Amino acid sequence: MGAQMAELPRVRRGPLDALYAALRRLAPQIAATRPGEDGGGLRVSYRGQAATIVWDENLDVYAWASGEGGRLGPDAEKAAELIARAMGAPGGSD
């Protein structure tokens, strides 16, 4: 059983991973790169627009590192909706 457990993919858990999952559910047409361990943020793009989203450790909120600028709040689902709306993608609340 130990050998089988070693073959399982490593589960990522963190704020940017939660946001990535929320974007996949709410706005799958937005291209998003999985957050890396380098702390570079979550890169998103849609129809020629690109931005980077980061988790602000000091404020405990998602924020635009590039693109629109500003805070997106602490909730991954709400942040995903705001990202979709800002980029003009279906899935953002109107």
Side-chain angles (χ1 to χ4, degrees):
M1 177 106 153
Q4 291 173 343
M5 294 298 282
E7 293 176 16
L8 293 174
R10 194 179 115 220
V11 176
R12 297 178 185 214
R13 290 192 176 101
L16 290 175
D17 298 304
L19 180 57
Y20 176 83
L23 279 168
R24 298 287 35 95
R25 280 190 307 279
L26 298 172
Q29 64 282 359
I30 292 179
T33 59
R34 275 196 177 277
E37 294 181 16
D38 61 0
L42 178 70
R43 289 172 196 77
V44 295
S45 62
Y46 180 72
R47 292 192 177 179
Q49 301 174 74
T52 301
I53 313 300
V54 294
W55 175 253
D56 186 318
E57 296 274 337
N58 296 322
L59 300 174
D60 287 338
V61 296
Y62 295 101
W64 297 95
S66 64
E68 294 289 313
R71 298 180 195 157
L72 295 165
D75 182 79
E77 301 289 322
K78 293 281 186 189
E81 289 177 8
L82 291 171
I83 293 165
R85 186 175 353 152
M87 297 188 102
S93 59
D94 293 322

